[in-house]
Amino acid sequence: MGNRKVNSILNNVLKKVSPLKEENAQIKVLLENFVSKIESRIGERKIRAEIFVGGSFAKDTMIKKDSYDIDLFFRFSEDGNLSNLTHDLLEGICDFEMVHGSRDYFKVKVKDYVYFEIVPVKKVNNPKDADNITDLSYSHVKYINKKIKDKKILDEIRLAKAFCYATGCYGAESYISGFSGYSLELLVYYYGGFVKFLKGMIKASKGKKKIIIDIEK
């Protein structure tokens, strides 16, 4: 199959897997309203915390799905049980479900097809100070937004995520053992595109030696 044919197929796929502008706009409004309420409560209670949007939505690499899980991080400078602090901030503002994990987080349904996943994290300036892997999420968002300005690469990342989602290997959860969204973003950026990423993975699977990827050298 020639490059022109491949590019034509991928362009058609990209149109199908990219969220509609109306969906993005609506999610943005829902986020702004929700964050405003939480920030008011944070101010009233004089809690040292800030909120940031993470995940694919924040990095403009989200793919179209029947429902969207938007990552929202409560970044605390406070000591104590961060999950309990988050629970107290949410209580009375919205209905939520607690999800147990390495650090408990919360799921909020804000529309039929939009969910916020509220993740409490510790504010750290040095990765070595992190108590939990989620404490590094702020750095992940900051790094990708700093590194990737090219819309073409963002679209290539979207293709990689859609491909892995369709083949059941999107997600670093233990029951999936696949690629996390962040790892796909880094890998597609490193290889320079979706097809090049696939070729790199095929080569890696056939090789006997580990491939070390160090973007910052």
Side-chain angles (χ1 to χ4, degrees), residues 14-88:
L14 184 61
K15 291 176 185 177
K16 293 179 181 178
V17 302
S18 298
L20 299 173
K21 289 183 179 179
E22 293 82 358
E23 290 177 321
N24 279 330
Q26 190 167 49
I27 290 171
K28 187 176 180 182
V29 170
L30 291 170
L31 275 169
E32 288 173 350
N33 291 338
F34 184 79
V35 169
S36 178
K37 291 177 183 177
I38 299 297
E39 286 181 336
S40 294
R41 178 162 283 187
I42 286 172
E44 290 167 3
R45 299 186 179 182
K46 297 181 180 179
I47 295 172
R48 291 180 302 149
E50 59 191 43
I51 301 172
F52 76 94
V53 181
S56 299
F57 186 80
K59 293 173 276 189
D60 195 23
T61 59
M62 191 168 71
I63 59 173
K64 187 173 181 60
K65 296 180 183 176
D66 292 334
S67 64
Y68 297 103
D69 292 326
I70 309 300
D71 295 335
L72 200 56
F73 293 88
F74 288 13
R75 197 170 181 232
F76 290 95
S77 299
E78 301 276 342
D79 294 324
N81 187 307
L82 302 188
S83 293
N84 288 346
L85 285 169
T86 302
H87 181 283
D88 293 344

Side-chain angles (χ1 to χ4, degrees), residues 88-155:
D88 293 344
L89 285 173
L90 294 174
E91 197 166 37
I93 287 181
C94 61
D95 293 327
F96 55 84
E97 172 192 354
M98 178 182 280
V99 183
H100 296 294
S102 56
R103 183 188 285 148
D104 293 343
Y105 64 98
F106 304 84
K107 194 159 188 173
V108 178
K109 183 178 181 180
V110 289
K111 204 168 183 63
D112 288 343
Y113 63 94
V114 181
Y115 296 82
F116 292 163
E117 290 199 345
I118 315 294
V119 185
V121 297
K122 175 183 174 183
K123 184 175 182 178
V124 295
N125 295 317
N126 189 325
K128 293 179 181 178
D129 296 329
D131 294 334
N132 187 289
I133 189 65
T134 56
D135 295 338
L136 302 177
S137 299
Y138 178 79
S139 299
H140 294 173
V141 174
K142 191 175 179 182
Y143 184 76
I144 292 298
N145 286 343
K146 176 185 174 183
K147 254 337 186 183
I148 306 176
K149 307 289 187 182
D150 187 349
K151 185 182 183 301
K152 186 176 188 317
I153 292 294
L154 292 173
D155 285 341

Side-chain angles (χ1 to χ4, degrees), residues 203-215:
K203 183 179 178 181
S205 68
K206 293 179 178 178
K208 294 182 179 179
K209 293 183 180 180
K210 290 183 179 179
I211 295 177
I212 307 299
I213 293 175
D214 181 4
I215 292 173

Side-chain angles (χ1 to χ4, degrees), residues 151-163:
K151 185 182 183 301
K152 186 176 188 317
I153 292 294
L154 292 173
D155 285 341
E156 295 286 315
I157 289 170
R158 222 184 296 273
L159 285 170
K161 288 187 174 184
F163 175 82

